[in-house]
Amino acid sequence: MTRDRESRTLILDAAERLFAERGFDGTPTTAIAELAAVPKGLLFYYFPTKTDLLRALVSERLDLDPIDTSGLVARGDPARTLLNVTRRLRELQAQSAVQRVIVWREHPTHPEVREKIQNYRIQLQAIVERVLGASILHPIAARRVRAAAAAWVAIITTPALREHAGADQAAAGSADEVKDPTEPADLPALADLISAGLREPAA
């Protein structure tokens, strides 16, 4: 990695940590530069405004393209498959404050973040459709698989739940102390409910 590339990554890492801890509005660029241990002028060289920095974070770190779906398909068990996908998603979120906290907190006031969330959901639905379809052993209409995938994505990416958890996080003082904000206690029951509509073959 070149020194320039390394500096840019340090700035993004610092912004990700501080935006998660303090929120976008509560984080001055001076604090980001200090945490990244770079001159403030270098921060503005890469990111002329703080919004440019937020845009770069969500563009580069909210992406499901590298997700590995091998091992997620439970043949003959759509409910287990849905839970497997969700577990893998949670593992990715645990590694990224962008996925876990930032986009859900900032989307109400930043159109570029809302747009990226929409793209994220489209990516996620395509993944869920693919593995869900592979788990079903009988012929079934693609529209039913698509509807089931859409319902599941809606459940696991409910912004209201994430925003509520974000408030809890602020009170706790640390993003790492917050339980998964979109993990309803009855997630297995919801998976069973959705997969029930996929059990009978349909043209």
Side-chain angles (χ1 to χ4, degrees):
M1 181 183 291
T2 66
R3 180 170 297 179
D4 285 349
R5 180 73 176 172
E6 185 175 285
S7 296
R8 185 179 185 278
T9 300
L10 288 171
I11 293 168
L12 287 172
D13 288 346
E16 180 172 352
R17 176 177 167 183
L18 293 175
F19 288 168
E21 291 177 353
R22 307 179 184 180
F24 177 83
D25 292 332
T27 302
T29 52
T30 301
I32 297 171
E34 287 177 356
L35 183 59
V38 300
K40 191 172 180 180
L42 186 61
L43 185 153
F44 287 124
Y45 171 77
Y46 290 115
F47 309 103
T49 69
K50 194 165 65 165
T51 298
D52 290 325
L53 186 47
L54 177 63
R55 186 179 296 113
L57 270 177
V58 298
S59 295
E60 298 174 23
R61 301 190 178 186
L62 187 70
D63 196 344
L64 291 172
D65 282 343
I67 191 171
D68 181 9
T69 59
S70 63
L72 300 183
V73 177
R75 296 277 292 165
D77 193 345
R80 172 48 51 191
T81 298
L82 291 173
L83 294 172
N84 287 346
V85 173
T86 305
R87 185 195 70 247
R88 180 65 186 125
L89 186 64
R90 297 298 180 256
E91 292 169 354
L92 293 174
Q93 289 172 342
Q95 301 167 17
S96 169
V98 173
Q99 291 191 27
R100 189 174 64 251
V101 179
I102 295 172
V103 294
W104 308 103
R105 175 192 284 154
E106 305 300 340
H107 82 274
T109 53
H110 294 90
E112 60 273 17
V113 177
R114 289 198 296 274
E115 180 180 356
K116 188 60 183 177
I117 288 176
Q118 181 60 29
N119 293 336
Y120 173 84
R121 285 185 172 130
I122 290 170
Q123 279 186 300
L124 181 56
Q125 179 162 338
I127 290 169
V128 174
E129 280 187 51
R130 185 166 68 249
V131 297
L132 191 57
S135 75
I136 300 169
L137 303 182
H138 52 261
I140 191 166
R143 60 184 170 75
R144 290 175 64 188
V145 177
R146 188 174 307 114
W152 192 250
V153 169
I155 288 170
I156 64 175
T157 62
T158 303
L161 293 176
R162 287 183 177 269
E163 288 158 11
H164 176 71
D168 291 343
Q169 170 195 305
S174 170
D176 295 331
E177 295 172 8
V178 180
K179 289 186 176 181
D180 188 336
T182 61
E183 190 89 30
D186 56 353
L187 202 61
L190 291 170
D192 284 337
L193 181 63
I194 288 176
S195 64
L198 303 172
R199 288 175 187 154
E200 298 298 325

